[in-house]
Amino acid sequence: MVFGGIFFACESLVNAQMVATSLPLKRGFSKIPFISPYNMPRYSIEQAREADLIKTFCKNIRQRFRRYSWYSDPCGGVEWHADLRTAAGYPLIYASFGSGKDTTLFMGGVHPDELTPIHLSFRFARYLNAHPDVYVKHGIKVIIAPIVNPDGFFQKYPLRTNRTVDVNRNFFTLDWYEKAGKAWRGRRNGVARYFPGYFPNTEVETLFQVKLIDKFKPDKIFSVHAPLGFLDYDGPGDQKPVHLSRLERKAKQFVYAVSKKTRNYRVVDYSFYPGSLGNYAGNERNLPTITLELKTTEPSKVEEYWLKFLPGFLQSVHYPFRKNRSEVNDNATRFFSIYDQIYLENQG
Ligand SMILES: [Zn+2]
């Protein structure tokens, strides 16, 4: 009787599954690139191929740079790493400088139609490579990801998106499901270049940033964009004019310290968006996050910007702020570590 009951239950379960799987997928769903343990290999770089992929990538970037009359070798002698690759197969590169504890994550090229930040981020990496005193003496660590969204960059005309999604609206912030779609249709009139994705965390470029935060546990983040012309701060003490704690004041002071080193560049308290880095890292995880918006995306401006902003870049990595681990909510970043573990277990 007992066996029969179990058998019957199993049989009806199988039948139910057959019914469920015989229904066709709704339009669009089959094309959504969910990143899961099952398709992780598509986005992972095998160690044996890492060096070759990066070498070819650097050659391609260098060639593309000439289009903008940038003749320097972007990758230079920097030791680049890449664990992930994009849908188009480009490696998502980053470099690490110094071995100190205070860590700054520096990023460019999230929106690759904003050209100037890409040039400056590569250049800052080469600068650090040539000037170890910047980090050795100060006991700090700097992680640079100069081109977070290469798929968008290598289009005929660089895009804001990675071809489909604005990867700076795709972070899994708490307000994503409620607000990302509304914000896109409302504030942005549903223009494709601001599309936040059908779901959060569908884009490998977003996952890349999450994984950098997860792996290096930065104390602060500096991300370069253009062309709004200001510095914006998200993090502890943001949008809180009074009654700041000592830690909040210290964190918030970060943006004014950078401004001071860049001829008092304008600081604007810009609101953050559902699914943006400022919201994900700054607002939700209490990581002081600065967005530098250069004034233009005009390639000929890079020399002027380099001279103007290098002191600010240096301040961004030198500003002494060590986050209190207990005050950081990194549950969502851990979520991806679990994914990694499942993936590795399946491999092993
Ligand atoms: Zn941008």
Side-chain angles (χ1 to χ4, degrees), residues 33 43 48 53 57 65 100 157 166 185 189 196 207 231 322 341 348:
Y43 297 101
L53 269 175
F57 181 68
F65 267 29
Y157 300 103
D166 180 344
R185 281 185 297 269
N189 292 320
L207 175 67
L231 284 160
R322 169 80 64 85
Q341 276 164 24

Side-chain angles (χ1 to χ4, degrees), residues 43-281:
Y43 297 101
S44 304
I45 295 175
E46 315 84 73
Q47 232 173 354
R49 291 203 56 210
E50 184 184 356
D52 270 355
L53 269 175
I54 292 174
K55 203 172 152 193
T56 310
F57 181 68
C58 285
K59 226 166 78 186
N60 290 338
I61 292 269
R62 186 174 186 171
Q63 208 165 32
R64 262 303 161 107
F65 267 29
R66 291 196 192 127
R67 203 188 258 197
Y68 310 113
S69 303
W70 298 338
Y71 297 107
S72 52
D73 172 16
C75 290
V78 175
E79 193 189 310
W80 298 100
H81 302 279
D83 321 310
L84 294 172
R85 63 177 153 198
T86 62
Y90 296 116
L92 291 167
I93 63 167
Y94 63 90
S96 165
F97 303 92
S99 54
K101 276 198 177 138
D102 290 26
T103 304
T104 308
L105 173 59
F106 190 105
M107 297 190 287
V110 170
H111 294 143
D113 61 339
E114 303 163 6
L115 293 165
T116 39
I118 301 173
H119 179 99
L120 294 188
S121 303
F122 270 109
R123 193 157 176 179
F124 189 43
R126 297 200 304 277
Y127 181 89
L128 291 180
N129 200 42
H131 298 85
D133 50 305
V134 170
Y135 41 93
V136 173
K137 212 168 60 188
H138 289 78
I140 56 168
K141 185 187 271 184
V142 186
I143 311 299
I144 300 192
I147 180 155
V148 169
N149 178 1
D151 285 12
F153 181 68
F154 281 113
Q155 299 305 306
K156 189 171 174 205
Y157 300 103
L159 302 172
R160 176 185 174 88
T161 62
N162 62 358
R163 287 171 74 193
T164 47
V165 174
D166 180 344
V167 301
N168 200 35
R169 298 289 180 273
N170 191 243
F171 284 92
F172 193 174
T173 54
L174 297 178
D175 57 359
W176 200 95
Y177 281 102
E178 193 193 336
K179 292 183 181 164
K182 270 188 216 158
W184 175 56
R185 281 185 297 269
R187 272 198 281 194
R188 295 301 184 184
N189 292 320
V191 173
R193 56 192 253 102
Y194 296 98
F195 182 53
Y198 291 103
F199 294 95
N201 264 336
T202 49
E203 306 309 299
V204 70
E205 297 84 356
T206 308
L207 175 67
F208 173 49
Q209 297 173 76
V210 168
K211 281 174 84 78
L212 287 176
I213 295 170
D214 197 25
K215 182 170 179 176
F216 295 104
K217 312 251 178 293
D219 297 280
K220 47 187 158 52
I221 299 177
F222 195 89
S223 185
V224 191
H225 288 250
L228 303 177
F230 58 69
L231 284 160
D232 175 40
Y233 168 80
D234 297 300
D238 186 27
Q239 294 177 352
K240 193 174 169 189
V242 289
H243 304 306
L244 278 79
S245 72
R246 219 169 63 101
L247 186 82
E248 285 172 335
R249 193 169 298 120
K250 175 96 183 161
K252 198 172 179 175
Q253 211 50 45
F254 177 32
V255 71
Y256 297 102
V258 171
S259 164
K260 212 172 147 186
K261 293 283 182 184
T262 46
R263 300 181 214 158
N264 296 316
Y265 202 61
R266 188 162 65 118
V267 176
V268 169
D269 202 353
Y270 203 64
S271 67
F272 46 73
Y273 292 92
S276 73
L277 175 75
N279 190 352
Y280 177 82

Side-chain angles (χ1 to χ4, degrees), residues 12-60:
S12 54
L13 200 70
V14 169
N15 285 340
Q17 260 175 1
M18 276 171 67
V19 172
T21 51
S22 70
L23 292 167
L25 283 168
K26 286 205 171 165
R27 193 166 64 93
F29 268 68
S30 58
K31 289 191 177 152
I32 299 169
F34 281 112
I35 298 175
S36 76
Y38 304 103
N39 64 9
M40 248 338 250
R42 203 180 132 199
Y43 297 101
S44 304
I45 295 175
E46 315 84 73
Q47 232 173 354
R49 291 203 56 210
E50 184 184 356
D52 270 355
L53 269 175
I54 292 174
K55 203 172 152 193
T56 310
F57 181 68
C58 285
K59 226 166 78 186
N60 290 338

